[in-house]
Amino acid sequence: MEKISAGLIMLAEMREKLPPSEKKVASYILEHPSKAIKMTAVELGEASHTSSAAVIRLCKSLNISGVQELKLRIAGDLQREKTDDRDIEPNEPLRSIVEKVTMQSSQILSQTADLIDTVELNRAVSALSKANRIFFFGVGASGITAMDADQKFLRINKNSKAFMDLHLGATAVVNAEEGDVVVGISFSGETHEVAKILEIARETPATTISLTRYGSSLVSSLADICLYTSPNVEATFRSGATSSRLAQLHVIDILFMCVATSDYEQTIDYLDATRTAIQGLHKKVNTRKK
């Protein structure tokens, strides 16, 4: 059976936004995860002073298939080795920093992979594969992700453009047509500029995709298709969006690979052509007149 996790992350992120009865179930599971994975829906309902129906509704709110998947995800969380989430310390040895940053990066990539909904991923890949034009938008560190996405999709001959300026982005998106795709990137999911771009895009026939941290947010509420990264909070010295940017790039890489493999032979031709062109840039320029 496929190994999955991130159940505890999903519960923690969604708890405060759940209806009262579902919130009680989520709180009980978060407080007693080892007990919860051994219980049936009826037993979870009794233990949390709710009902089995509340447990089932909770699974629907988390957009997972049912109680069994929820328990499998929590079991996966419990089996994973706990990592040191502390920030770096004064005069910390270099080897310790290398190991700590590597472990934290590995953790956020695994958590992000576990949070990817294959149904939503498939919808995003389908939209991007057929897109006439793709507009990526993000500000700050998310703007770096937008530029990376633009560079990748340009290499396979997609009509792609990245924007980090709200005015320029709005100018492009307001004229989006059917078959175009607008991708809004925001780790918090509350970035005003990204929300405005998706709000403008909603008034056009374009398909909208959001890439945010897991959980309900303003940006994700404005998108047709929602993709998520791990919601792990940055430590003080990692506040330059180290982990969140890495998680976003991971999802972009997945999207790119999925789109590329959907038209494999043509993609290989495009990649070969772009590789040859880049290599040719380093050759001496021929100045002879024709």
Side-chain angles (χ1 to χ4, degrees), residues 156-268:
I156 56 173
N157 203 34
K158 291 294 182 181
N159 188 355
S160 169
K161 181 69 176 177
F163 295 94
M164 292 182 288
D165 179 89
L166 178 58
H167 290 198
L168 290 176
T171 301
V173 170
V174 74
N175 293 312
E177 302 172 343
E178 186 171 357
D180 292 342
V181 177
V182 179
V183 184
I185 306 170
S186 164
F187 176 68
S188 69
E190 304 297 336
T191 308
H192 171 76
E193 293 89 341
V194 179
K196 288 301 295 184
I197 288 295
L198 291 185
E199 184 179 48
I200 293 170
R202 286 183 73 180
E203 300 301 316
T204 74
T207 298
T208 53
I209 300 174
S210 65
L211 176 56
T212 67
R213 61 182 285 167
Y214 179 80
S216 58
S217 66
L218 175 60
V219 171
S220 62
S221 71
L222 293 168
D224 300 317
I225 302 168
C226 300
L227 299 175
Y228 300 105
T229 66
S230 170
N232 270 7
V233 177
E234 305 283 352
T236 302
F237 277 94
R238 292 167 65 80
S239 59
T242 306
S243 295
S244 57
R245 186 187 69 246
L246 188 63
Q248 289 174 345
L249 293 172
H250 186 47
V251 175
I252 293 299
D253 283 348
I254 290 170
L255 281 173
F256 172 75
M257 292 298 182
C258 290
V259 170
T261 195
S262 66
D263 191 8
Y264 186 81
E265 295 301 328
Q266 183 64 76
T267 297
I268 293 298

Side-chain angles (χ1 to χ4, degrees), residues 8 11 15 23-36 47-48 74 78:
L8 296 177
L11 289 168
R15 177 164 55 176
K23 183 177 179 179
K24 286 183 179 180
V25 179
S27 295
Y28 178 83
I29 296 173
L30 287 168
E31 293 167 9
H32 309 283
S34 297
K35 291 182 180 179
S48 59
I74 295 169
L78 295 175

Side-chain angles (χ1 to χ4, degrees), residues 39-244:
M39 295 179 174
T40 63
V42 173
E43 291 170 337
L44 272 173
E46 292 175 351
S48 59
H49 305 291
T50 57
S51 64
S52 59
V55 177
I56 294 170
R57 289 197 301 272
L58 171 62
C59 295
K60 290 182 179 179
S61 295
L62 296 176
N63 197 30
I64 58 178
S65 61
V67 179
Q68 187 63 20
E69 181 183 342
L70 177 59
K71 292 195 293 183
L72 284 171
R73 284 182 175 274
I74 295 169
D77 290 332
L78 295 175
Q79 289 173 3
R80 279 191 168 161
E81 180 182 355
K82 290 194 175 291
T83 59
D84 186 354
D85 292 327
R86 292 176 303 164
D87 207 345
I88 60 175
E89 300 170 357
N91 300 312
E92 183 161 355
L94 297 183
R95 175 47 55 184
S96 175
I97 294 174
V98 170
E99 292 175 355
K100 190 175 291 185
V101 172
T102 301
M103 183 65 73
Q104 290 171 337
S105 296
S106 176
Q107 182 183 53
I108 200 166
L109 291 179
S110 295
Q111 290 172 350
T112 295
D114 289 332
L115 288 168
I116 290 177
D117 183 329
T118 53
V119 174
E120 289 290 271
L121 177 63
N122 186 61
R123 293 179 63 206
V125 170
S126 178
L128 291 169
S129 297
K130 301 172 184 175
N132 296 324
R133 294 182 297 175
I134 307 172
F135 303 107
F136 293 100
F137 186 84
V139 296
S142 294
I144 297 173
T145 302
M147 289 191 295
D148 178 76
D150 177 38
Q151 184 268 341
K152 282 184 168 64
F153 282 88
L154 279 175
R155 289 193 64 200
I156 56 173
N157 203 34
K158 291 294 182 181
N159 188 355
S160 169
K161 181 69 176 177
F163 295 94
M164 292 182 288
D165 179 89
L166 178 58
H167 290 198
L168 290 176
T171 301
V173 170
V174 74
N175 293 312
E177 302 172 343
E178 186 171 357
D180 292 342
V181 177
V182 179
V183 184
I185 306 170
S186 164
F187 176 68
S188 69
E190 304 297 336
T191 308
H192 171 76
E193 293 89 341
V194 179
K196 288 301 295 184
I197 288 295
L198 291 185
E199 184 179 48
I200 293 170
R202 286 183 73 180
E203 300 301 316
T204 74
T207 298
T208 53
I209 300 174
S210 65
L211 176 56
T212 67
R213 61 182 285 167
Y214 179 80
S216 58
S217 66
L218 175 60
V219 171
S220 62
S221 71
L222 293 168
D224 300 317
I225 302 168
C226 300
L227 299 175
Y228 300 105
T229 66
S230 170
N232 270 7
V233 177
E234 305 283 352
T236 302
F237 277 94
R238 292 167 65 80
S239 59
T242 306
S243 295
S244 57

